[in-house]
Amino acid sequence: MLINKKLAIDFDGTIVDDAYPAIGKPKTFAFETLKKLQSEGYRLILWTYRSGKSLEEAVEFCRKNGLEFYAINASYEGEDFDPQSQSRKIDADLFVDDRNLGGFPGWGEVYEIIKQKIEFGITNGEVQAYSKLKKTKKKGLFW
C-alpha cells in the first residue's frame, strides 16, 4: 500500500539525543522506526534548526545509519525557497518533534500515533485519549 504522506522529522532530541551542535547518541529505535515508515511509503523530511556544516553532519550521520530523506528543510527535494514570497513552514502531514506539548513519547508510541492518524483518520483528541488510556492501564504480572 502506497501511503504517500509526508512526515517532517526533527533531528536533535528526536532522532538523536540533544547535544547540539554536536550529534548526540541515536534515540532508541529511531532509525529502525524511520526506515520502517519509509518502507511503508511515507516520505520523510528532515526538518531541523541546523544549517551549514552542522546540517551536513546530521544528514551524513543519518545516511551512515541507512536513512535518506525525501527532502531536507524543504517541502520537496530541490525546492527553491524565497523568504520574500514564501513561508518558512514546510508542507507536511505530520511533524515529529521533541518539543511538542507533553515532550517526546518515544519511537514506539510515535509509530502508533502516525499509523492511527494517517491510516485510520483518528483525530488529535482521539489520539490523546488513547495515549492517556495506555498510560493508565495497570501493568500485568509479566510486564
Side-chain angles (χ1 to χ4, degrees):
M1 165 178 34
L2 183 59
I3 301 295
N4 207 22
K5 295 288 187 176
K6 292 188 271 184
L7 305 175
I9 313 293
D10 180 38
F11 185 72
D12 297 290
T14 303
I15 295 176
V16 298
D17 291 335
D18 194 351
Y20 182 80
I23 294 178
K25 182 178 95 172
K27 291 269 192 190
T28 304
F29 300 120
F31 286 105
E32 296 86 349
T33 304
L34 291 167
K35 287 188 274 187
K36 180 171 177 54
L37 288 165
Q38 255 182 346
S39 74
E40 293 173 356
Y42 291 90
R43 294 179 182 180
L44 305 183
I45 297 170
L46 181 61
W47 176 57
T48 178
Y49 175 77
R50 289 175 177 257
S51 63
K53 186 174 188 250
S54 69
L55 176 59
E56 291 171 18
E57 290 169 348
V59 170
E60 184 59 27
F61 183 80
C62 291
R63 192 173 285 131
K64 284 181 180 177
N65 281 280
L67 186 62
E68 297 273 346
F69 292 95
Y70 168 74
I72 298 165
N73 283 345
S75 296
Y76 52 88
E77 186 177 1
E79 178 183 30
D80 188 17
F81 175 72
D82 178 8
Q84 299 299 324
S85 64
Q86 293 174 297
S87 167
R88 181 65 188 117
K89 188 168 183 176
I90 62 173
D91 176 32
D93 296 289
L94 285 175
F95 293 79
V96 181
D97 193 326
D98 63 309
R99 296 189 181 204
N100 66 342
L101 296 175
F104 188 72
W107 280 101
E109 192 163 337
V110 166
Y111 181 80
E112 286 183 33
I113 290 169
I114 289 169
K115 300 301 271 186
Q116 291 168 4
K117 284 191 70 57
I118 291 182
E119 290 189 21
F120 303 115
I122 295 175
T123 67
N124 282 338
E126 290 168 326
V127 168
Q128 290 169 352
Y130 170 79
S131 293
K132 286 179 186 173
L133 177 66
K134 258 181 68 174
K135 289 176 185 171
T136 60
K137 281 186 176 178
K138 299 225 185 264
K139 293 184 175 157
L141 183 62
F142 297 105
W143 182 255

